[in-house]
Amino acid sequence: MLETSSRLLSLLALLQTRPAWTGAELAERLEVTTRTIRNDIDRLRELGYPVDATRGPAGHYQLGVGAKLPPLLLDDEEAVAVAVGLRTGAGVAGMAESSARALTKLEQVLPHRLRRQVNAIHSTMEKGPDNTGSNVQDPEVDPAVLTAIAACIRDEHYLRFDYEIPSGVPIRGPGSGRASDLPILVEPYRLVSWQRYWYLVARDEADAWRTYRVDWMSLRMATGRRYEPRPMPGDDYTDFVLRDVATTGWKVHARITVFAPAQEVLSRIHAAVGVVESVDDNTSVLVTGADSLEIVAVYIGMLGLDFHVDGPPELVQHLQTIGNRYLRAIN
């Protein structure tokens, strides 16, 4: 049986998990009598927590609306989720200051163990530009995996994991993680959230920088081995992920020569569409990708600039098809 103080905190936690509880349900969960529950409810009221009670056959208890906010009681997964949400909110226009204040308050009330986990997430995470037009369901990522990766980055420990790329997903290029029959061992440096996905930026055993989709990772037992950190020059982890995914991480990839300065192209596209490389004062290259030829064609059409498609051949053929369709529409 819980001591009175611990039981009161547990009672508060239960009352916050759903709108209403019967006395019998609370008594069963806390392994006490209904009379003890009534006494504990009275103690909470004396401490200033508004608890409403409804009598009768449908009687129940619920937290009321009051001036005092009950203590924030989070388990490990909830703490990670809140930290990620607040860190992400800091990148939304108008929410940076309020998100930072909320995260500071959260850190002040969390116990040391959870504070270390939250701080690890906060200090190792970066966020790429949003694409608010996407309606694709986000892949599920286990909060425990994010926490473990963030802890390894914080403590500068090697990370070992299995990596399985789903069939039908073309992953190519020097920067991308690949499936392997053997566990992968890396020096982890940063977690980056972009385009609905989480990516780990790490240095592999061949001393090459790579990106790994977190939802494709299965962590092995912690190594506990420290590495000597050698950060990426300029700390451009987010830019590295954007470039790597633009060239290797989509089902369709394209390299478009645009007959306009890079700054002009950048002013006409969403930052999540791709990466623009300058060639000279009047020419640039757009490296982009998407899950279909149709979407890439839309990106190009929205530029409003002259261009030449360097590849792939399937995209050239698709543009010929829709180009002829448009010509027939006006003839």
Side-chain angles (χ1 to χ4, degrees), residues 124 148-157 188-191 200 227:
T124 61
I149 295 173
C152 285
I153 297 173
R154 178 197 63 206
D155 299 334
E156 298 171 354
H157 285 178
Y189 283 87
R190 199 61 51 92
L191 282 166
L200 168 66
Y227 62 85

Side-chain angles (χ1 to χ4, degrees), residues 206-264:
D207 209 28
W209 287 104
R210 298 191 182 276
T211 62
Y212 299 92
R213 276 266 300 268
V214 174
D215 56 312
W216 294 348
M217 297 169 60
S218 298
L219 301 188
R220 290 291 191 99
M221 185 177 297
T223 66
R225 292 170 47 204
R226 296 196 63 177
Y227 62 85
E228 187 66 33
R230 295 169 292 162
M232 180 178 289
D235 288 339
D236 291 331
Y237 298 102
T238 299
D239 185 66
F240 178 77
V241 170
L242 266 60
R243 288 179 176 274
D244 192 42
V245 174
T247 56
T248 66
W250 301 109
K251 292 182 180 178
V252 178
H253 301 93
R255 188 175 178 87
I256 315 296
T257 298
V258 185
F259 302 109
Q263 220 33 58
E264 174 69 11

Side-chain angles (χ1 to χ4, degrees), residues 109-186:
V109 300
L110 288 176
H112 179 70
R113 176 178 56 82
L114 288 184
R115 190 184 305 124
R116 277 176 55 82
Q117 292 186 8
V118 169
N119 287 340
I121 291 289
H122 187 208
S123 63
T124 61
M125 172 186 166
E126 292 184 10
K127 186 172 182 293
D130 291 315
N131 184 349
T132 55
S134 173
N135 59 0
V136 179
Q137 183 177 0
D138 294 354
E140 292 189 6
V141 176
D142 187 349
V145 173
L146 283 178
T147 302
I149 295 173
C152 285
I153 297 173
R154 178 197 63 206
D155 299 334
E156 298 171 354
H157 285 178
Y158 283 99
L159 182 69
R160 182 185 291 116
F161 56 91
D162 294 318
Y163 197 63
E164 182 176 358
I165 300 173
S167 59
V169 178
I171 301 294
R172 51 189 181 272
S176 300
R178 297 176 179 275
S180 173
D181 294 333
L182 298 174
I184 296 173
L185 184 69
V186 299

